[in-house]
Amino acid sequence: MMRSRLAARSARLVLAAVAVTALAATTTACGPEELADSGSSAAPSAAASEGGDKSDGGDESDKSSGDKASTGGSDSSGSNDKSDSADSGKGGYGQSCGTNDLDFTVTSESQAGGYYRVTAKAKSGITCYLDVNTPTVSFGSDLDGVASPVGQGGEEPIKLTGSAVAYTGINPKTTNTEGGTEFEHVIIGTTEEDPNPAELKLPDTATVDKPIVTNWSTNAAETVPVLV
């Protein structure tokens, strides 16, 4: 059962990374020809508009009334956009924390044989909640690199805003055997379905074998990962 859940977590992380790469490639593919086409189509529209103004006789009062009506329409549209943003929970306040809402730092700690402490902080202007108290963590895309949750620490939810931070602890190697796979980065997501997992540079090279991860906590002492 645990293997199935971990497989699903790893698969989601890999699919999210592929989706981000594809989006970046599509954006880069927009070249000068597309910009030129956009410019050329805009020019005739502007000319047609100018011709229409002349044929109407250039009545200044009509033009003024038209401009005011147009401006009023734009203001109404802008108000609707802001309302939609607030209703969808993307206005920067009261939303669930996505990985791209947060800044992360990773430090190497010596307790419990050594582990990595990840500190999460909301980006400037963002107020959000860590509704899921266990992050999704993986070293690479293989199932063997997916960290198992150990259930330590954890308040739910945790509010992040301003200087408030949350911690999680990652132990990359819990076995007593020699060897393991080395990694220089770790992938972290706030939920299993997070479309934008972050790839974080580790302060040193990690030897990975059956990694574990704690829950989020506002108390760093609760996030020293221990395999029970």
Side-chain angles (χ1 to χ4, degrees):
M1 189 70 176
M2 177 63 75
R3 270 296 181 194
S4 175
R5 185 178 178 185
L6 295 182
R9 287 188 173 192
S10 180
R12 291 189 183 99
L13 286 171
V14 174
L15 289 174
V18 171
V20 170
T21 302
L23 179 58
T26 302
T27 304
T28 305
C30 293
E33 294 82 356
E34 295 183 9
L35 293 177
D37 291 343
S38 175
S40 62
S41 63
S45 297
S49 175
E50 182 179 354
D53 290 342
K54 289 180 179 179
S55 65
D56 289 341
D59 189 310
E60 291 298 329
S61 68
D62 290 346
K63 180 179 179 182
S64 175
S65 299
D67 289 344
K68 289 179 180 178
S70 175
T71 302
S74 296
D75 290 344
S76 174
S77 175
S79 175
N80 289 339
D81 289 344
K82 290 179 181 178
S83 175
D84 291 344
S85 177
D87 292 342
S88 64
K90 295 301 180 183
Y93 296 91
Q95 65 194 41
S96 297
C97 295
T99 305
N100 56 354
D101 294 319
L102 307 174
D103 289 325
F104 298 91
T105 57
V106 186
T107 57
S108 182
E109 307 294 332
S110 59
Q111 297 100 310
Y115 73 100
Y116 296 110
R117 177 187 296 161
V118 178
T119 304
K121 179 181 179 182
K123 292 180 179 179
S124 178
I126 295 291
T127 296
C128 63
Y129 293 84
L130 288 169
D131 294 322
V132 178
N133 65 352
T134 306
T136 300
V137 171
S138 176
F139 293 89
S141 58
D142 291 339
L143 288 178
D144 289 342
V146 177
S148 301
V150 291
Q152 295 171 233
E155 304 117 67
E156 186 179 356
I158 296 175
K159 180 180 179 180
L160 293 182
T161 186
S163 61
V165 297
Y167 307 96
T168 185
I170 304 169
N171 186 343
K173 181 175 170 62
T174 59
T175 62
N176 294 321
T177 59
E178 294 292 330
T181 305
E182 293 187 343
F183 290 91
E184 295 184 351
H185 295 82
V186 62
I187 300 170
I188 186 168
T190 56
T191 67
E192 293 181 18
E193 296 79 18
D194 196 320
N196 301 297
E199 185 175 53
L200 309 178
K201 181 79 168 69
L202 297 171
D204 50 36
T205 300
T207 300
V208 178
D209 191 11
K210 298 189 182 306
I212 58 175
V213 60
T214 71
N215 295 336
W216 292 111
S217 177
T218 54
N219 182 356
E222 293 182 348
T223 61
V224 181
V226 177
L227 189 61
V228 179

